[in-house]
Amino acid sequence: MVFGGSRGIGAAAARRLANEGADVVVTYVSAPERAAETIGAIEDTGRSGLAIRADSGDPAAIEAAVAHAVDHFGRLDIAVVNAGILLLGDVASVSVEDLDRMLNVNVRGVFLAIQTAAARLTDGGRIITIGSNTAVRSGYPGSSVYSMTKAAVAVMVKGIAIDLAGRGITVNNIQPGPTVTDMTVDHIERIKQLSPLKRAADPDEIAGLVAYVASKESGYMTGSSITIDGGLAL
């Protein structure tokens, strides 16, 4: 199940997991046509897909989506929590409304998705969050709140990994750098020049790491945050 799987990194992760042999559920909020495209790509691999509209800031919607997914497929083995928003603004201009929106989706929503998925996850399953390299590297102007929310996810994962270790469930956090998605289109050209590789990531590159963390081979890794950002120096 990929929370926020209709486009960008989430859609790439959904496609890759299908290629690896998984049936995949994706949630979306505002892009039903993109969700349908992702489901089409999943089904092109020969696997089954299901799109569910669910706002990651709404606990009831998250709970209903997970219940629907398990009822539909019979089990849940992997949960990828990708839903997030980026609202830029320096310390003088960030509104309380924008602060609350980012905390609601990027922190509270991530916790609720993990909590709800974990209750239905098979023992030995995988939980993977999509964070940001800004959690460990200095951010760029206007990114202080966004970076704070992603740092919170990195710490959250460490604690939840301990909570779920007894069930053999691993919990890890992937921290991409600049990646070509709808969310980054307005500032990607400027930021990618700070990378030694002088480019941004393709979502499929991040999805490859998701596939590894979801695999049996990663079973000894939990509570970790893995940064994949082209050596970005900020």
Side-chain angles (χ1 to χ4, degrees), residues 85-101:
I85 58 173
L86 169 62
L87 303 172
L88 296 176
D90 65 25
V91 67
S93 64
V94 173
S95 67
V96 173
E97 291 76 16
D98 284 352
L99 172 66
D100 286 346
R101 284 180 65 196

Side-chain angles (χ1 to χ4, degrees), residues 93-114:
S93 64
V94 173
S95 67
V96 173
E97 291 76 16
D98 284 352
L99 172 66
D100 286 346
R101 284 180 65 196
M102 279 193 280
L103 289 171
N104 193 41
V105 175
N106 295 2
V107 181
R108 181 172 178 267
V110 170
F111 180 86
L112 292 172
I114 293 173

Side-chain angles (χ1 to χ4, degrees), residues 100-231:
D100 286 346
R101 284 180 65 196
M102 279 193 280
L103 289 171
N104 193 41
V105 175
N106 295 2
V107 181
R108 181 172 178 267
V110 170
F111 180 86
L112 292 172
I114 293 173
Q115 183 184 57
T116 306
R120 300 290 195 104
L121 204 67
T122 55
D123 290 353
R126 300 285 186 265
I127 294 173
I128 303 164
T129 59
I130 305 298
S132 169
N133 72 326
T134 62
V136 293
R137 301 191 191 277
S138 298
Y140 43 86
S143 68
S144 59
V145 175
Y146 178 74
S147 299
M148 174 184 67
T149 65
K150 294 305 183 178
V153 170
V155 176
M156 183 194 307
V157 161
K158 291 179 181 292
I160 296 176
I162 296 170
D163 291 344
L164 297 179
R167 294 174 54 197
I169 295 170
T170 65
V171 188
N172 292 290
N173 176 42
I174 293 174
Q175 299 183 146
T179 304
V180 180
T181 68
D182 293 350
M183 191 169 73
T184 63
V185 65
D186 291 335
H187 57 273
I188 196 73
E189 290 299 322
R190 174 176 58 85
I191 296 175
K192 73 182 186 181
Q193 295 307 313
L194 299 170
S195 167
L197 300 178
K198 301 303 180 188
R199 70 175 181 87
D202 184 281
D204 287 335
E205 294 178 293
I206 312 303
L209 184 53
V210 171
Y212 168 71
V213 177
S215 71
K216 291 182 180 179
E217 287 82 359
S218 72
Y220 194 57
M221 179 173 63
T222 193
S224 296
S225 287
I226 312 123
T227 299
I228 173 171
D229 68 357

Side-chain angles (χ1 to χ4, degrees), residues 33-108:
E33 68 291 341
R34 298 289 293 276
E37 290 174 8
T38 301
I39 296 304
I42 290 166
E43 293 176 344
D44 285 344
T45 70
R47 307 307 305 181
S48 296
L50 175 67
I52 303 173
R53 188 181 187 282
D55 184 343
S56 291
D58 181 344
I62 293 172
E63 186 170 350
V66 173
H68 187 182
V70 175
D71 288 346
H72 186 84
F73 284 116
R75 59 186 292 164
L76 178 62
D77 301 307
I78 302 163
V80 179
V81 186
N82 175 65
I85 58 173
L86 169 62
L87 303 172
L88 296 176
D90 65 25
V91 67
S93 64
V94 173
S95 67
V96 173
E97 291 76 16
D98 284 352
L99 172 66
D100 286 346
R101 284 180 65 196
M102 279 193 280
L103 289 171
N104 193 41
V105 175
N106 295 2
V107 181
R108 181 172 178 267

